[in-house]
Amino acid sequence: MKEIKVLALVCLMFMGFGSIKSYAHCEIPCGIYNDEARVKMMYEHIQTIEKSMKLIIELSAVEKPDYNQLIRWVNNKEEHANKLQAIATQYFMFQRVKLSDDPVMKAKSMKQLELLHKICVYAMKAKQSTDMEMIKKLNNTVHGFDHAYFIKEEHKH
């Protein structure tokens, strides 16, 4: 009887572990990075957020809105804003922007962190509204980060 209880407990544990979500990219030093691809993904998420905003505005303006489609586009906007924030934080802030005591490297990192923070804030504001100004701010800030991060002579994997 005791063995059955232990077996049942082990089965429940495995079932619980199976429901845990996993997200890309790892936080171990695997060395498999493609920073350029991540920046490109950021721009693609912004384009998707913009398309979602435009369709939300369009669908909301009709006499009888299709609420199912509206909800789908709101959810889509939210999902891509979350993905944009995940790249900014989980990928760049936590793994790629390095801490340093060197004043030059520290200043560079601070600028990158400032831009990544702005990306997260503008993505949050994009979730909250259909303000197209957030799309401009997101594009400009990702562009600024792109230039602050990729300095050809200094950038190393």
Side-chain angles (χ1 to χ4, degrees):
M1 185 67 159
K2 187 176 181 180
E3 291 173 347
I4 293 173
K5 287 181 182 178
V6 170
L7 182 60
L9 180 63
V10 170
C11 287
L12 284 173
M13 286 174 46
F14 280 116
M15 286 176 19
F17 290 133
S19 66
I20 295 173
K21 291 182 181 180
S22 63
Y23 299 94
H25 196 90
C26 60
E27 289 186 15
I28 57 173
C30 66
I32 303 170
Y33 297 105
N34 189 335
D35 299 340
E36 293 86 358
R38 293 308 185 292
V39 172
K40 185 177 182 204
M41 288 169 64
M42 292 172 92
Y43 283 116
E44 288 175 0
H45 290 306
I46 295 167
Q47 286 178 319
T48 304
I49 294 165
E50 180 179 19
K51 180 178 182 177
S52 298
M53 285 181 172
K54 287 178 179 177
L55 285 164
I56 291 165
I57 293 166
E58 181 183 316
L59 289 166
S60 298
V62 299
E63 188 175 322
K64 287 183 141 186
D66 182 343
Y67 292 109
N68 289 320
Q69 287 293 31
L70 259 171
I71 290 168
R72 291 180 76 203
W73 284 106
V74 169
N75 287 339
N76 192 55
K77 179 174 64 107
E78 182 94 7
E79 177 185 340
H80 286 275
N82 285 337
K83 288 179 180 181
L84 183 58
Q85 290 172 321
I87 293 169
T89 57
Q90 203 62 26
Y91 184 80
F92 282 109
M93 290 174 86
F94 298 168
Q95 297 178 77
R96 303 304 292 151
V97 176
K98 303 295 182 197
L99 300 174
S100 175
D101 291 329
D102 174 51
V104 174
M105 289 303 296
K106 190 173 186 176
K108 179 182 173 185
S109 294
M110 292 281 95
K111 179 63 179 169
Q112 292 170 356
L113 290 171
E114 175 190 353
L115 292 164
L116 291 166
H117 181 247
K118 285 182 179 182
I119 290 167
C120 290
V121 170
Y122 296 148
M124 174 196 65
K125 290 183 179 291
K127 289 187 221 180
Q128 297 170 346
S129 72
T130 53
D131 182 359
M132 290 298 174
E133 187 62 30
M134 289 308 115
I135 299 303
K136 288 180 191 170
K137 288 182 177 186
L138 281 167
N139 274 316
N140 290 339
T141 308
V142 170
H143 180 78
F145 175 74
D146 191 2
H147 286 280
Y149 187 76
F150 293 110
I151 299 174
K152 301 297 181 201
E153 308 84 87
E154 296 178 6
H155 183 72
K156 296 178 183 147
H157 283 277

